[in-house]
Amino acid sequence: EDREDYTRSFGFYEQGNRLKKSQSTYKAERMTDDLAHQKDFFTRSYFEKTGSNGHPVSDPIFIVGLPRAGSTMLEQILSSHSQVDGTLELPNILSLVQRLRRQDSGASQKTYPFTIDDIDPDELKSFGEEYLRDTQVHRGSAAFFTDKMPNNFRHIGLIQQILPNAKIIDARRHPMGCCFSNFKQYYARGQNFSYSLSDMGRFYRDYVDLMAHFDQVLPGRVHRVIYEDTVQDTEAMVRSVLDYCGLPFEEQCLRFFENKR
């Protein structure tokens, strides 16, 4: 690719991804169903009925979306603010989901997320407290911290239930740029959708569909950052993100490339 021999380079990208896909059990149809279940369970009436019973703190800033969509740059911008600690792609929400999946009720044939109906509000609050406690090791002394695990977009409903005042930012990039960048990126594990262009296109479409659902049932809850807009007018994006997070503007957020973290 560096020598601009794009036909041959694409062939090698395709060959490498085909080898990785042969080692994977990923099924695009299963992921589509999994995300559809989130829409089926987390409805507007569900949130109106349950209210906000989770841990009331507002410390976490979740950066979600697909990989290769500008989330690292966004985290670097936020962590340049004096009141925000940058951490890692924290696994805590995904680990909680795995626990909930293991507790699926065989008797009622309920599976996650439908089993959340059977969880006491106090336990949901305790999940939020647990998240804050377990992520403390990655933080400094700032009032807020980022969690940029992209796949947390699949669990916005759960985040809303356990941490109703946390901030959620959707980092989004044009599908051609985002999907091809994922196709070129070698993931040893964890992003099995990326080993096939058709799987990736379907995953992107399902992601956009799920985020549109949460825009409808939780209006204004998720703040969206478009990568291409950020490139065109970085300051406007920075100001909008800081406003959403309730943070004052700080000039060093525009000099995020000087951040030594």
Side-chain angles (χ1 to χ4, degrees):
E1 183 180 4
D2 291 342
R3 292 195 295 268
E4 300 184 3
D5 189 350
Y6 300 120
T7 300
R8 290 189 70 223
S9 69
F10 187 89
F12 286 121
Y13 285 133
E14 195 168 41
Q15 182 181 359
N17 277 291
R18 190 163 55 247
L19 288 168
K20 286 297 296 182
K21 185 171 174 60
S22 71
Q23 302 167 0
S24 170
T25 59
Y26 179 81
K27 300 292 184 185
E29 300 83 3
R30 191 180 305 158
M31 180 61 69
T32 297
D33 290 343
D34 190 58
L35 299 186
H37 291 158
Q38 295 287 323
K39 293 167 57 181
D40 292 340
F41 181 73
F42 290 114
T43 61
R44 185 189 291 266
S45 61
Y46 169 82
F47 288 118
E48 290 173 349
K49 178 184 69 175
T50 58
S52 301
N53 296 312
H55 196 299
V57 297
S58 57
D59 302 29
I61 302 173
F62 291 94
I63 303 172
V64 304
L66 266 62
R68 313 298 298 171
S71 59
T72 300
M73 178 176 65
L74 182 53
E75 182 191 45
Q76 193 77 341
I77 289 168
L78 280 166
S79 68
S80 299
H81 197 282
S82 62
Q83 296 184 44
V84 181
D85 285 324
T87 61
L88 303 164
E89 294 185 358
L90 303 178
N92 302 72
I93 294 296
L94 302 184
S95 296
L96 173 58
V97 169
Q98 288 304 312
R99 281 165 48 195
L100 296 176
R101 289 190 192 278
R102 287 195 294 270
Q103 295 171 9
D104 285 353
S105 172
S108 63
Q109 297 185 327
K110 280 186 179 180
T111 58
Y112 171 84
F114 300 97
T115 47
I116 292 176
D117 247 349
D118 302 327
I119 299 176
D120 185 90
D122 288 338
E123 188 174 4
L124 289 173
K125 183 177 180 180
S126 74
F127 288 153
E129 293 169 347
E130 177 185 300
Y131 174 87
L132 265 293
R133 183 180 65 248
D134 292 350
T135 55
Q136 183 64 50
V137 66
H138 302 291
R139 301 176 57 182
S141 57
F144 302 93
F145 70 99
T146 60
D147 178 345
K148 66 173 289 286
M149 176 61 74
N151 290 339
N152 282 339
F153 85 84
R154 297 170 52 189
H155 309 294
I156 286 175
L158 177 63
I159 291 172
Q160 172 66 20
Q161 289 306 93
I162 70 174
L163 294 163
N165 295 318
K167 300 295 187 292
I168 304 172
I169 302 173
D170 174 24
R172 186 172 299 184
R173 184 178 177 186
H174 187 281
M176 289 295 287
C178 186
C179 292
F180 187 49
S181 185
N182 275 285
F183 194 65
K184 289 166 53 173
Q185 179 73 25
Y186 173 65
Y187 296 109
R189 58 186 174 85
Q191 306 295 354
N192 290 333
F193 69 91
S194 70
Y195 304 137
S196 156
L197 288 175
S198 59
D199 286 353
M200 196 147 29
R202 184 167 182 165
F203 189 75
Y204 189 102
R205 185 180 62 193
D206 290 342
Y207 144 71
V208 169
D209 184 58
L210 181 60
M211 298 306 291
H213 170 77
F214 282 112
D215 286 344
Q216 289 182 341
V217 302
L218 293 171
R221 184 71 179 85
V222 178
H223 182 77
R224 186 153 297 112
V225 172
I226 304 298
Y227 175 80
E228 290 77 16
D229 293 345
T230 300
V231 173
Q232 291 296 318
D233 192 344
T234 306
E235 182 172 348
M237 183 281 289
V238 169
R239 288 184 179 277
S240 71
V241 167
L242 294 180
D243 284 347
Y244 167 74
C245 294
L247 294 167
F249 176 76
E250 291 184 357
E251 192 70 30
Q252 60 262 35
C253 292
L254 296 178
R255 300 196 302 274
F256 59 91
F257 44 85
E258 298 175 357
N259 190 328
K260 301 297 184 183
R261 64 180 292 274

